[in-house]
């Protein structure tokens, strides 16, 4: 690895975090340790002719041999920096089973977040009402009708609101289409989210954004393509507004809330969400992509930065 300054995340052989190291070109120090230069295990001076990360890895291997070998990745963000309305794992939780995802700054949009939660409550209630009439089993997934179409349109309109909100919070403006929205797939790893619906335990995990492809930004989301069809041509496309698509769209709203703010913040004060949605799969963020705690001496505090779309 090139001898350049910056922050580097360290992980062990199991992919678990082993700290953030700062390299100034001469010395590597473990971030978050008080007076690291006074602690033999928290700093490494660049040996003559040796790669600094080989030296750090060798020191860690002596200290915790059961976790060797170690790898290092340059971090995308500095301590305290975060992307607005994008939840990620923090550096200490990388590699931890079922990590908590968090977005600093959620309190700045608390009013909007409360409205988002309220809208999701309305959508889940409407879906529950429909499913009391039409049993949501695979044999009925192609059922369609006015109430199902209306739910699909409402849910997709809400998803669009989430998409637009994330882009605008990160400095993107203009008239958006799916050509813009699909950029959120990689930025937020939306395709990695999978949701189970405990009310309907026979249903498999729902992954509404799986397979979303920038080459086919509308067609690769069948439920969203159906929404466009039934919205603009109800008479000719009425039968495309199916129960299956409506379920996917409602789950997509829940995924967008979680992907923006983390599950705890997204579902706060709404116990019914915990009963209706169960997060079965999440993105596996690498330490280089994580949010780094605003450690003393390395940050002035939490700092929003715009995602480089």
């Amino acid at each position: 690895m090139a001898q350049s300054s910056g922050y580097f995340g360290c992980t062990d052989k199991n992919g678990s975090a082993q700290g953030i190291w700062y390299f100034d070109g001469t010395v590597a120090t473990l971030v978050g340790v008080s007076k690291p230069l006074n602690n033999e295990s928290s700093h490494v001076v660049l040996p003559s002719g040796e790669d600094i990360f080989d030296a750090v890895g060798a020191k860690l291997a002596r200290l915790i041999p059961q976790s060797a070998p170690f790898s290092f990745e340059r971090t995308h963000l500095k301590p305290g920096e975060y992307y607005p309305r994008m939840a990620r794992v923090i550096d200490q939780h990388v590699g931890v089973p079922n990590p908590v995802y968090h977005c600093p700054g959620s309190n700045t949009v608390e009013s909007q977040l409360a409205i988002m939660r309220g809208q999701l409550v309305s959508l889940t209630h409407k879906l529950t009402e429909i499913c009391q009439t039409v049993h949501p089993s695979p044999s009925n997934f192609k059922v369609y009708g006015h109430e199902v179409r209306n739910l699909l349109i409402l849910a997709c309109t809400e998803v669009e609101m989430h998409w637009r909100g994330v882009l605008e919070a990160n400095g993107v403006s203009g008239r958006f289409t799916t050509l813009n929205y699909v950029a959120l797939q990689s930025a937020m790893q939306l395709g990695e989210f999978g949701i189970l619906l405990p009310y309907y335990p026979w249903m498999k995990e729902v992954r509404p954004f799986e397979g979303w492809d920038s080459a086919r930004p509308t067609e690769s989301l069948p439920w969203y393509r159906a929404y466009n069809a039934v919205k603009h041509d109800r008479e000719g496309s009425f039968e495309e507004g199916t129960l299956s698509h409506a379920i996917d769209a409602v789950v997509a709203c829940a995924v967008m809330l979680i992907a923006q703010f983390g599950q705890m913040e997204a579902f706060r004060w709404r116990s019914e969400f915990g009963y209706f949605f169960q997060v079965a799969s999440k993105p596996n963020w690498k330490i280089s992509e994580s949010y780094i705690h605003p450690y003393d001496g390395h940050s002035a505090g939490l700092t929003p930065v715009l995602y480089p779309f």
Side-chain angles (χ1 to χ4, degrees):
M1 185 177 292
Q3 308 297 330
S4 57
S5 62
Y7 292 92
F8 294 82
C10 175
T11 52
D12 62 21
K13 66 179 182 181
N14 298 314
S16 298
Q18 293 295 333
I20 302 295
W21 290 76
Y22 178 70
F23 180 46
D24 66 4
T26 304
V27 179
T29 56
L30 182 61
V31 174
V33 175
S34 178
K35 299 180 179 179
L37 296 181
N38 296 335
N39 187 330
E40 193 274 337
S41 65
S42 301
H43 78 280
V44 176
V45 179
L46 174 61
S48 177
E50 187 175 348
D51 185 282
I52 186 63
F53 299 103
D54 289 342
V56 174
K59 173 169 281 192
L60 290 175
R62 292 194 299 271
L63 295 171
I64 41 178
Q66 68 277 13
S67 298
F70 300 89
S71 59
F72 296 84
E73 304 173 41
R74 181 184 290 275
T75 64
H76 297 180
L77 298 169
K78 298 175 183 178
E81 292 183 341
Y82 68 93
Y83 301 125
R85 291 179 66 161
M86 294 188 189
R88 293 191 174 186
V89 66
I90 62 173
D91 59 291
Q92 302 102 319
H93 292 173
V94 171
V96 174
N98 194 30
V100 174
Y101 289 79
H102 173 61
C103 180
S106 296
N107 60 315
T108 64
V109 292
E110 187 56 44
S111 296
Q112 299 96 310
L113 184 50
I115 295 173
M116 295 176 205
R117 296 187 190 109
Q119 185 64 24
L120 184 56
V121 169
S122 177
L123 294 172
T124 55
H125 286 177
K126 188 63 179 177
L127 178 58
T128 301
E129 289 175 4
I130 291 173
C131 290
Q132 288 174 344
T133 301
V134 180
H135 186 64
S137 63
S139 60
N140 288 331
F141 281 164
K142 292 187 178 180
V143 167
Y144 61 93
H146 291 288
E147 290 301 312
V148 178
R149 171 185 178 268
N150 293 344
L151 176 59
L152 174 62
I153 291 175
L154 284 173
C156 287
T157 301
E158 185 71 3
V159 171
E160 289 177 331
M161 184 280 300
H162 287 297
W163 289 341
R164 185 169 59 252
V166 177
L167 290 176
E168 290 177 344
N170 284 275
V172 184
S173 60
R175 185 176 182 274
F176 299 129
T177 69
T178 48
L179 289 172
N180 307 104
Y181 297 143
V182 73
L184 298 173
Q185 170 77 316
S186 59
M188 305 175 79
Q189 292 195 24
L190 297 177
E192 299 301 313
F193 284 95
I195 305 294
L196 292 172
L197 303 177
Y199 281 10
Y200 316 114
W202 52 87
M203 289 180 56
K204 66 179 183 180
E205 185 177 315
V206 181
R207 288 176 169 254
F209 294 104
E210 188 173 48
W212 198 8
D213 182 5
S214 60
R216 301 168 56 249
T218 298
E219 292 296 320
S220 55
L221 286 184
W223 52 273
Y224 189 76
R225 182 202 54 75
Y227 151 69
N228 277 296
V230 300
K231 180 178 69 171
H232 296 296
D233 182 18
R234 176 181 54 78
E235 291 185 358
S237 303
F238 191 38
E239 64 185 28
E240 294 195 42
T242 65
L243 178 60
S244 177
H245 290 324
I247 291 171
D248 285 347
V250 172
V251 172
C253 289
V255 167
M256 284 307 304
L257 259 181
I258 297 167
Q260 289 177 84
F261 305 107
Q263 186 175 351
M264 293 181 64
E265 188 64 29
F267 288 0
R268 194 193 341 160
W269 313 126
R270 293 293 188 178
S271 60
E272 61 265 48
F273 289 156
Y275 294 112
F276 200 88
F277 303 104
Q278 179 183 333
V279 181
S281 303
K282 299 178 183 178
N284 183 26
W285 294 106
K286 297 185 293 186
I287 196 166
S288 60
E289 302 166 321
S290 67
Y291 290 150
I292 305 173
H293 182 79
Y295 296 106
D296 291 342
H298 292 269
S299 169
L302 295 173
T303 306
V305 298
L306 303 183
Y307 185 87
F309 284 109

